[in-house]
Amino acid sequence: MGVSLDSPSNYITTSLRHAINWGRKYSLWPMPFGTACCAIEFMGAVGAMSDISRFGAEAVRFSPRQSDLLLVAGTISYKQAPILKLIYEQMVEPKWVISMGVCASSGGFYNNYGTLQGIDRIIPVDFYVAGCPPTPENLLNALVKLQQKVDEEGLEAVKERHRVQKSA
Amino acid sequence: MSRRALDRVQERFGGQILETNDYLGDESITVAAGDLPQVLEFLRDDPQCDFKLLLDVVGVDYPDRPQRFDVVYNLRSLDQGQRIRVKTRVAEGEAVPTASGLWHNANWHEREVYDLFGVEFSGHPDLRRILCHHEFEGHALRKDYPIEKGQMCYTVEKLLPEEAVLPGRETRHEGHWNAEGGWEGAPGVALADEIHSDYLPVNIGPSHPATHGALRIEALLDGETIVRSEAEIGYLHRCFEKEAEDHTWHQIIPYTDRLNYVSALTNNVGYVLAVEKMLQLEVPERTRAIRVIVSEMGRIMDHLVCTGTNLVDIGALTNYWYTWNAREYLYDVVERLCGERLTTSYTRIGGLYRDLYEGFEDDLRGALKKVEQGVQDMMALVQRNRILMDRTVGVGVISAEEAVRWGYTGPCLRASGVAYDVRKAMPYSGYENYDFDIPVGENGDAYDRIMVRIEEIYQSISIIRQALDTLPGGPVQADDRRVVFPPKDEVYNSIEGMMNHFKLVFEGIRVPKGEGYGFIEAANGELGFYAVSDGSGRPYRVKVRPPCFPIFASFTTLIQGSMVPDAIAILGGLNIVAGELDR
């Protein structure tokens, strides 16, 4: 990145990839698919103590069409599964998924007839957050990791996402 | 006092009562399925019995018996202060006459028994699955259904029948839909009729900010007015009861955290009290006092979340920061106490996970001051707030009589003016030693429900302070090696200690054969655990009586004729916690 302060109109030179990713990573709009205990800790992360807005992700949208980060917080039952899949499909690219807590990641200690054994059986997941429920700090850690991932994503990957969506 | 009901029933029905029992002080009678309606009606209407509140309907499966299923009705009398359990036995394919004509909430409770056991209820208005999804095959809580056999669900069920979405001619405002699906009431002209349009079916949830992720309502709108609605639950059915049968008595405690995850501490206490009742185990004074402290902390945290989110749902976002900050201060104490913020697992059967840490009292007193401050700040904003009052006063009104008929308990019942609180009615853990009031509302509307909760926060703070002032010393574990682990040095240095530890871990506690019903006043009402033990190390059956289950059953009736935004305001104040609702 090059910065020029000499000329009368200050400007920065950078690659398109950097510029796009820089904008994306600091404005992840989460769609909290909160079903259970983890949703309470997500609310903790939004609260003043943890303050998710420090990371630019406080614009919580409950409409999947307005968000680019699906935050699955809580146990997903088989009854809930088709709804989660529908919500994921309604989100536009580029989109990312964080699976918050062990229930969403693997079913947790609910290995039984009602609980989906991990959301990765029905939708792709970018980051899994450990904990039952994870602390807000742990969730923020995943968010920061996700920002790094977004930052490293090449334009090809972004194009690929669009291509996949078109063909799907 | 409570023998009276048993005597009355026997006097009236004589030979029709097949069996009576008062094991552990819980009265229970067994009747033939055919006699059930008249016995239940007598129990409800006889002035000396007066069992106006139906707490729960439980199914139990005994595959080896010819009459395979027990169906148990747990009743409670508010005025007479007594409880009774009415049981009936049915074989596969045999029907039980429904009690949904006697108590409104029997409808959903019986649906649950039908869903999980496959017991039919004759005369039931709407016998469908409730917790498992509509594509589910088999009945999950039968002993021969394997716990790990999951079944995928591919579609979403439609709740409102096609014919309901017709032009307005057949539906009118001044009246209500009866249980058979017909319209009762005065004729009038629907808005949809005036503008020659159809009713609009709207699906709310389960992924909706106000339904907290796990409730679904399909409403039929005439303009903004809800003319009819259907609710569906079960999106967070995590099979607590099946898991309980698969674990030892101690291993269930972490599962109880996740019932009402907003106040896990209170649930922990409720569960261990039920098991201790079955073990007839006394715990030390100090443990009892600490349990009171932690349950009240749970109650405060629950009320803070409920009030905060309720206000957010109706647009008052600022209050969320106040309540959540107050909650965070309590979280800090809880985290230091048991290592977790939310899912605490603090109690043990016969005691506690560990004693209070040094400095606990100062921490808690400090946190309570901040909670008080936070609640005062919030109340300054909302108590006489014009907008809040417009949104909540006179909205979602339920009369005392109807609330009882719906099986309401806790703050929602008290907001309707019924001063029923388990802590006063049947004190446990030494609640009789503390001085506190039971706030009641007058109108039973959404505003009263908020205010009752706020006042309860202050009462709970006062209870905690009293308990801290009079906290006795001594051990926190009962001295009973059938239940409590031996100290570590005995485990490592003596063969008896090691064996004792090994047996308790691998085989679990042996709870004597029999059944018991333990109950406490949880944050949202009476939380009951009905447990059946066959004498082995694992429970034969554990049934939770979730306070919000009957409350949510009444939701579609509450929102009938109100607007969509009202429905949201009502829902927040009922404090429906999905973990507990769906279990």
Side-chain angles (χ1 to χ4, degrees):
Chain A
M1 193 189 289
V3 181
S4 165
L5 300 172
D6 303 334
S7 75
S9 55
N10 298 338
Y11 61 90
I12 296 173
T13 56
T14 180
S15 67
L16 183 61
R17 182 179 77 95
H18 269 117
I20 290 177
N21 285 345
W22 175 80
R24 273 185 184 154
K25 73 174 178 177
Y26 290 126
S27 60
L28 290 167
W29 284 20
M31 143 94 209
F33 195 86
T35 59
C37 339
C38 286
I40 303 288
E41 281 301 59
F42 171 73
M43 284 155 75
V46 177
M49 296 266 184
S50 300
D51 196 5
I52 202 168
S53 58
R54 292 178 294 161
F55 305 91
E58 83 280 16
V60 174
R61 287 292 174 272
F62 286 91
S63 162
R65 292 180 180 86
Q66 297 173 353
S67 15
D68 46 14
L69 168 60
L70 180 63
L71 229 160
V72 184
T75 316
I76 301 299
S77 65
Y78 287 115
K79 196 172 186 172
Q80 188 86 274
I83 294 155
L84 175 63
K85 186 143 178 73
L86 188 70
I87 297 269
Y88 177 75
E89 282 164 0
Q90 283 177 349
M91 291 171 68
V92 289
E93 290 284 2
K95 56 186 171 188
W96 296 274
V97 179
I98 288 182
S99 160
M100 179 181 181
V102 292
C103 283
S105 304
S106 70
F109 75 169
Y110 292 102
N111 184 9
N112 55 36
Y113 65 86
T115 312
L116 184 67
Q117 301 298 302
I119 57 166
D120 48 11
R121 297 192 174 198
I122 53 171
I123 58 172
V125 176
D126 291 284
F127 281 98
Y128 300 88
V129 189
C132 186
T135 54
E137 296 90 324
N138 210 348
L139 176 65
L140 295 179
N141 185 30
L143 189 68
V144 172
K145 284 267 187 328
L146 181 67
Q147 289 179 342
Q148 286 167 6
K149 182 175 176 173
V150 173
D151 199 29
E152 286 157 14
E153 221 166 54
L155 280 183
E156 281 65 37
V158 178
K159 265 190 214 156
E160 180 70 5
R161 281 172 180 279
H162 284 284
R163 199 183 58 78
V164 169
Q165 196 180 31
K166 257 187 184 168
S167 65
Chain B
M1 186 171 177
S2 50
R3 287 255 9 138
R4 234 176 31 229
L6 215 55
D7 293 342
R8 284 282 298 170
V9 175
Q10 250 169 345
E11 193 182 298
R12 168 74 175 73
F13 291 99
Q16 284 165 285
I17 308 295
L18 305 176
E19 208 181 296
T20 61
N21 191 337
D22 62 352
Y23 179 63
L24 300 174
D26 294 350
E27 268 81 25
S28 100
I29 57 173
T30 310
V31 297
D35 295 332
L36 194 66
Q38 45 172 325
V39 172
L40 288 178
E41 191 170 357
F42 174 78
L43 285 170
R44 189 191 68 168
D45 295 337
D46 183 73
Q48 283 182 43
C49 296
D50 197 43
F51 291 99
K52 289 277 186 281
L53 197 65
L54 171 69
L55 289 176
D56 207 354
V57 182
V58 187
V60 190
D61 179 23
Y62 298 95
D64 301 334
R65 261 182 8 197
Q67 286 186 308
R68 175 171 179 175
F69 302 107
D70 268 3
V71 178
V72 188
Y73 289 78
N74 277 313
L75 308 180
R76 155 91 201 174
S77 150
L78 294 178
D79 295 338
Q80 306 285 341
Q82 46 189 343
R83 282 160 197 277
I84 199 163
R85 200 148 67 211
V86 184
K87 275 193 195 177
T88 187
R89 291 180 182 158
V90 285
E92 172 97 64
E94 217 178 311
V96 181
T98 178
S100 51
L102 297 170
W103 295 279
H104 297 320
N105 58 327
N107 184 328
W108 274 31
H109 285 305
E110 289 176 349
R111 273 177 70 188
E112 185 187 323
V113 176
Y114 165 74
D115 180 5
L116 299 176
F117 290 92
V119 177
E120 300 273 341
F121 289 87
S122 55
H124 193 284
D126 183 27
L127 201 60
R128 329 179 253 129
R129 287 189 182 275
I130 186 164
L131 294 179
C132 295
H133 55 82
H134 63 292
E135 294 174 19
F136 198 86
E137 281 170 16
H139 299 283
L141 272 186
R142 289 190 178 189
K143 288 283 172 187
D144 47 21
Y145 191 93
I147 181 170
E148 288 172 19
K149 189 184 165 194
Q151 301 187 24
M152 256 302 182
C153 176
Y154 296 99
T155 55
V156 180
E157 195 185 8
K158 264 192 115 57
L159 301 178
L160 287 167
E162 278 305 323
E163 63 270 19
V165 195
L166 284 172
R169 268 162 214 92
E170 294 184 20
T171 356
R172 292 152 183 102
H173 278 318
E174 306 294 318
H176 62 276
W177 290 87
N178 62 25
E180 287 80 42
W183 182 256
E184 276 176 13
V189 182
L191 180 67
D193 215 20
E194 279 178 5
I195 58 175
H196 306 292
S197 124
D198 289 357
Y199 287 133
L200 180 69
V202 171
N203 182 71
I204 307 170
S207 177
H208 182 279
T211 62
H212 306 238
L215 316 167
R216 178 168 165 231
I217 302 135
E218 218 174 275
L220 199 60
L221 303 186
D222 176 21
E224 276 274 305
T225 312
I226 299 169
V227 288
R228 183 181 177 177
S229 59
E230 289 285 334
E232 197 188 14
I233 64 170
Y235 289 103
L236 193 57
H237 180 46
R238 300 191 277 197
C239 326
F240 171 85
E241 286 159 19
K242 193 79 175 176
E243 288 284 358
E245 291 169 18
D246 203 48
H247 287 76
T248 64
W249 292 89
H250 247 142
Q251 286 171 335
I252 297 169
I253 294 173
Y255 286 93
T256 64
D257 290 339
R258 291 153 181 86
L259 288 172
N260 182 343
Y261 38 76
V262 187
S263 53
L265 285 163
T266 321
N267 293 340
N268 297 158
V269 174
Y271 171 72
V272 296
L273 281 176
V275 182
E276 282 164 10
K277 179 178 173 184
M278 294 181 73
L279 285 161
Q280 290 171 293
L281 181 72
E282 286 289 320
V283 295
E285 277 302 311
R286 183 173 173 82
T287 310
R288 283 155 60 90
I290 294 176
R291 284 182 182 173
V292 167
I293 295 174
V294 296
S295 351
E296 293 309 315
M297 284 166 73
R299 194 182 318 280
I300 296 172
M301 284 154 74
D302 195 292
H303 287 345
L304 285 172
V305 172
C306 172
T307 319
T309 50
N310 190 6
L311 292 170
V312 172
D313 287 348
I314 53 181
L317 184 65
T318 318
N319 304 285
Y320 170 75
W321 317 116
Y322 285 119
T323 55
W324 213 269
N325 267 2
R327 205 179 135 96
E328 286 281 348
Y329 294 121
L330 283 173
Y331 269 153
D332 288 347
V333 181
V334 173
E335 196 172 5
R336 258 179 238 171
L337 183 64
C338 25
E340 244 299 358
R341 286 154 54 90
L342 204 64
T343 44
T344 49
S345 300
Y346 181 55
T347 58
R348 293 289 181 273
I349 297 163
L352 301 167
Y353 158 48
R354 61 179 175 206
D355 203 344
L356 303 177
Y357 64 90
E358 211 171 304
F360 172 83
E361 190 180 331
D362 294 339
D363 282 359
L364 185 54
R365 282 185 198 275
L368 288 180
K369 258 196 197 134
K370 298 203 167 130
V371 170
E372 257 178 346
Q373 186 58 50
V375 175
Q376 276 163 12
D377 287 348
M378 179 184 72
M379 288 316 282
L381 287 176
V382 300
Q383 191 163 19
R384 306 297 302 164
N385 186 306
R386 189 71 251 162
I387 302 170
L388 179 84
M389 294 182 79
D390 283 349
R391 290 293 304 273
T392 54
V393 173
V395 170
V397 179
I398 187 160
S399 69
E401 197 185 319
E402 276 295 293
V404 171
R405 241 185 134 196
W406 273 110
Y408 274 41
T409 48
C412 294
L413 179 65
R414 293 192 280 273
S416 293
V418 181
Y420 171 58
D421 188 319
V422 182
R423 293 174 294 171
K424 286 275 191 203
M426 292 183 139
Y428 53 92
S429 272
Y431 267 108
E432 64 274 18
N433 305 328
Y434 305 109
D435 178 31
F436 63 101
D437 295 326
I438 302 178
V440 289
E442 281 177 1
N443 308 319
D445 56 11
Y447 184 78
D448 280 6
R449 288 192 274 271
I450 296 175
M451 291 306 148
V452 164
R453 284 209 165 82
I454 296 293
E455 186 51 39
E456 277 187 20
I457 293 177
Y458 288 121
Q459 295 299 329
S460 294
I461 292 174
S462 147
I463 294 174
I464 293 177
R465 286 191 176 137
Q466 292 171 48
L468 285 175
D469 289 340
T470 57
L471 190 64
V476 293
Q477 304 287 11
D479 185 22
D480 189 332
R481 290 295 164 82
R482 292 175 306 151
V483 177
V484 176
F485 285 144
K488 281 286 177 214
D489 62 314
E490 262 181 55
V491 177
Y492 294 131
N493 299 317
S494 79
I495 185 72
E496 292 81 9
M498 197 179 83
M499 284 307 292
N500 188 344
H501 187 269
F502 180 85
K503 284 266 199 193
L504 281 178
V505 170
F506 277 81
E507 292 175 4
I509 297 168
R510 305 258 167 178
V511 174
K513 204 171 165 179
E515 51 198 67
Y517 183 74
F519 47 89
I520 59 157
E521 181 73 24
N524 205 21
E526 179 173 325
L527 173 73
F529 287 91
Y530 174 72
V532 181
S533 172
D534 58 357
S536 71
R538 287 154 196 251
Y540 190 76
R541 171 95 170 94
V542 176
K543 168 76 171 76
V544 188
R545 192 265 170 197
C548 61
F549 187 85
I551 294 178
F552 190 61
S554 73
F555 183 65
T556 50
T557 314
L558 271 183
I559 62 172
Q560 182 88 53
S562 56
M563 314 248 275
V564 179
D566 290 343
I568 303 301
I570 295 168
L571 183 61
L574 296 178
N575 193 15
I576 309 298
V577 180
E580 180 182 76
L581 179 76
D582 299 339
R583 283 151 287 146

